[in-house]
Amino acid sequence: MIYINNIHLSYGGQVIFDGLTFTCAKGQRIGLLGRNGTGKSTLLKAIAGFVKLDEGSITIDKYTRVGYMPQEVVMQ
């Protein structure tokens, strides 16, 4: 399970999340819908551990694996 508890995140004065709380149970599927720039990818990055929150916590059960594939293409 993944527990999102009262998370808050802002960038340069723009609030991305303010008091966001939810639980994703084992086997549950969730879709994220919203306009560009509303924080969908940022939420996934926070769950994967790539973004530090201003407040709140994200707890992932011991046997839960989180994978993340960035949407940006990296040219080398």
Side-chain angles (χ1 to χ4, degrees):
M1 290 187 54
I2 300 173
Y3 305 93
I4 310 295
N5 186 31
N6 199 32
I7 64 172
H8 179 86
L9 179 66
S10 60
Y11 287 121
Q14 180 180 357
V15 176
I16 307 298
F17 309 122
D18 186 20
L20 179 63
T21 298
F22 71 91
T23 301
C24 181
K26 181 179 179 182
Q28 186 176 22
R29 295 177 185 203
I30 295 175
L32 298 175
L33 303 173
R35 293 181 179 186
N36 290 343
T38 58
K40 300 177 303 290
S41 295
T42 303
L43 176 59
L44 296 174
K45 289 176 187 176
I47 292 170
F50 296 119
V51 172
K52 185 178 178 198
L53 302 170
D54 297 332
E55 294 178 25
S57 64
I58 298 175
T59 305
I60 301 171
D61 280 350
K62 182 177 180 180
Y63 297 106
T64 299
R65 290 186 300 159
V66 173
Y68 174 76
M69 178 180 283
Q71 61 183 345
E72 300 87 17
V73 176
V74 178
M75 302 298 285
Q76 295 186 9

